[in-house]
Amino acid sequence: MNLYKQIWDELSVIDVSEHIEKKGNLSYLSWAWAYGELMKYYPNNSYSFTETKIDDGTMMIECAVVIADGEETAMRTMWLPVMDYKNKPISNPDAFAINTARMRCFVKCISMFGLGHYIYAGEDLPSNPEQEKAKRISKEQKQAYVAAFLAALEDEDALALKELGDELKEDEDMMSAVWGEFSSKQKAAIKKILDQLRKHTL
């Protein structure tokens, strides 16, 4: 397997949500935790920084992270301006601001390997193929139940409505989702037909 893909497959599925720090509307990942995770999976790594002074007095930080695994190596680079608490570039930044920007850039560079990358996409949790598949299946099942209920309602098929209801009793979440798709008029009509069925079976 390609080393870049191997690293991505391992790091991109890690839930980093408990280690996110908030500043305003932006999310940051703790650099100490991010580096700890990187060391846990790929201890043979190195990183470096380069600072470039811009003509207007602001500064751009560049970070490079290299991961070695056996005879293979993988490298990612990332850039970030030195910014203030409002995320505006600082003119003639001091050592503290430069150090803060370095560590933020370091974390962002690690994210290029997969760790916490979804933070920068505005998401809360990493996508999980199995979870996404389950969501698709649930959506398809819900649509199928809704269609079956509507068909039975149109035919005034009380037995079909009862069977569908009995099936859904085993899955309260699905029952709630399906029931929420109907209008008040449709709900009343379904209840009326089922009530009539109960009276006939008593």
Side-chain angles (χ1 to χ4, degrees), residues 95-112:
F96 181 81
I98 293 172
N99 181 64
T100 299
R102 277 185 167 196
M103 303 324 290
R104 285 173 61 184
C105 190
F106 178 50
V107 173
K108 200 168 184 180
C109 192
I110 293 176
S111 78
M112 295 291 286

Side-chain angles (χ1 to χ4, degrees), residues 110-128:
I110 293 176
S111 78
M112 295 291 286
F113 286 106
L115 183 65
H117 70 98
Y118 50 88
I119 293 176
Y120 301 97
E123 299 174 6
D124 295 323
L125 294 171
S127 59
N128 182 301

Side-chain angles (χ1 to χ4, degrees), residues 13-148:
V13 297
I14 297 174
D15 180 2
V16 306
S17 57
E18 293 185 2
H19 306 278
I20 294 174
E21 300 169 1
K22 294 280 189 178
K23 277 191 178 181
N25 294 324
L26 299 177
S27 299
Y28 301 92
L29 187 61
S30 163
W31 73 264
W33 182 83
Y35 184 58
E37 288 299 293
L38 182 63
M39 286 295 294
K40 186 188 300 182
Y41 287 87
Y42 294 98
N44 192 6
N45 69 77
S46 61
Y47 56 91
S48 60
F49 299 99
T50 303
E51 288 92 31
T52 302
K53 197 74 175 284
I54 311 300
D55 292 341
D56 61 2
T58 58
M59 182 178 288
M60 184 69 73
I61 304 294
E62 179 180 352
C63 178
V65 175
V66 179
I67 294 175
D69 188 43
E71 297 182 356
E72 289 189 89
T73 60
M75 182 178 76
R76 296 292 190 192
T77 57
M78 181 49 63
W79 302 264
L80 190 73
V82 179
M83 298 181 287
D84 60 18
Y85 69 97
K86 294 181 180 178
N87 287 299
K88 299 293 184 182
I90 299 173
S91 181
N92 300 312
D94 59 21
F96 181 81
I98 293 172
N99 181 64
T100 299
R102 277 185 167 196
M103 303 324 290
R104 285 173 61 184
C105 190
F106 178 50
V107 173
K108 200 168 184 180
C109 192
I110 293 176
S111 78
M112 295 291 286
F113 286 106
L115 183 65
H117 70 98
Y118 50 88
I119 293 176
Y120 301 97
E123 299 174 6
D124 295 323
L125 294 171
S127 59
N128 182 301
E130 291 303 317
Q131 290 177 348
E132 292 300 320
K133 181 180 179 181
K135 287 180 182 177
R136 282 199 306 275
I137 292 173
S138 295
K139 186 176 180 180
E140 290 169 1
Q141 287 177 333
K142 183 184 76 172
Q143 292 172 338
Y145 273 119
V146 170

